[in-house]
Amino acid sequence: GKRISVPTLFINGANDPMYPEKDQGVYKKVFTNMMWADYKNSSDTPWAEEPVHFFEDFKELLDKNHIIEDLKKEAEEAKKGD
């Protein structure tokens, strides 16, 4: 099957029956660079119901994968090419 290596954050509201935590294993088979974040006090909009928790997890994903640093380097290189 296909494998996806793009950094991906899955957020799961514990009170949302759509994507139960047990499905995490299915996603791990496809997404090789994923984080799974559980939000115990949320349902289908955990980013809005627990925004601080969400931004902490999102920042962790960015930091872990050096995304901001890489974007800054690309921007600097693009400036040099102008």
Side-chain angles (χ1 to χ4, degrees), residues 7-72:
T8 307
L9 173 62
F10 286 95
I11 55 176
N12 177 51
N15 299 315
D16 182 0
M18 188 69 159
Y19 301 103
E21 189 174 355
K22 66 179 179 60
D23 290 345
Q24 186 177 154
V26 174
Y27 294 108
K28 281 186 175 181
K29 290 178 184 176
V30 177
F31 292 88
T32 60
N33 188 10
M34 66 168 272
M35 284 177 49
W36 184 275
D38 286 307
Y39 294 77
K40 303 296 180 199
N41 299 311
S42 298
S43 56
D44 60 345
T45 56
W47 59 90
E49 296 170 68
E50 297 182 60
V52 173
H53 186 179
F54 169 75
F55 282 107
E56 289 171 348
D57 289 335
F58 186 64
K59 183 179 182 319
E60 181 182 343
L61 179 79
L62 295 175
D63 292 346
K64 177 181 161 189
N65 292 283
H66 312 285
I67 293 171
I68 299 299
E69 293 89 349
D70 291 347
L71 289 172
K72 286 180 181 178

